[in-house]
Amino acid sequence: MANALEDAVYLREILQLSTANNVPVLAITDNRSLVQAVESTSLVLEKRLRIEISAIKELVELSNVTLKWVPGHYQLADILTKKGVSANSLLQVINTGLMVQLP
């Protein structure tokens, strides 16, 4: 997640240079424990996870990145990565160009 957020921040900076608009970065995940760890002040015991969460916290605090949890059935990526998931929501986005409103 930290690598993806770093890439998104980099792309936002390129867009801002060419358009002079402030482009928000919204990261949406169905990993509730990740969001809780980023919002928490408690220490994560595993060193690898502690480094990853620290990098995400830094991006959220310093780079105007928003991290949001949503239930798994809102994740369009699941259609491409998991067996047996209905493609109806992806087809709706492709046909209308509009995402389902997130809670």
Side-chain angles (χ1 to χ4, degrees):
M1 174 69 84
N3 290 338
L5 289 177
E6 288 172 358
D7 291 345
V9 168
Y10 176 73
L11 291 172
R12 178 187 62 198
E13 290 172 3
I14 292 172
L15 282 171
Q16 287 178 181
L17 287 174
S18 63
T19 64
N21 291 331
N22 187 13
V23 180
V25 174
L26 173 62
I28 300 173
T29 182
D30 61 354
N31 187 340
R32 185 179 296 205
S33 62
L34 172 67
V35 175
Q36 290 172 343
V38 169
E39 293 173 350
S40 173
T41 57
S42 62
L43 186 65
V44 176
L45 297 178
E46 189 178 332
K47 183 178 180 181
R48 181 187 57 82
L49 289 176
R50 188 170 47 232
I51 292 168
E52 181 84 8
I53 290 169
S54 295
I56 294 170
K57 278 185 180 183
E58 185 176 320
L59 286 165
V60 168
E61 293 170 1
L62 302 177
S63 300
N64 192 23
V65 172
T66 305
L67 182 63
K68 182 176 180 175
W69 175 82
V70 295
H73 62 272
Y74 284 102
Q75 290 288 10
L76 291 178
D78 286 352
I79 296 164
L80 305 172
T81 60
K82 296 182 180 165
K83 184 177 180 181
V85 178
S86 172
N88 291 337
S89 57
L90 179 60
L91 291 174
Q92 177 184 353
V93 170
I94 291 170
N95 288 330
T96 65
L98 302 173
M99 290 281 300
V100 175
Q101 285 296 95
L102 300 174

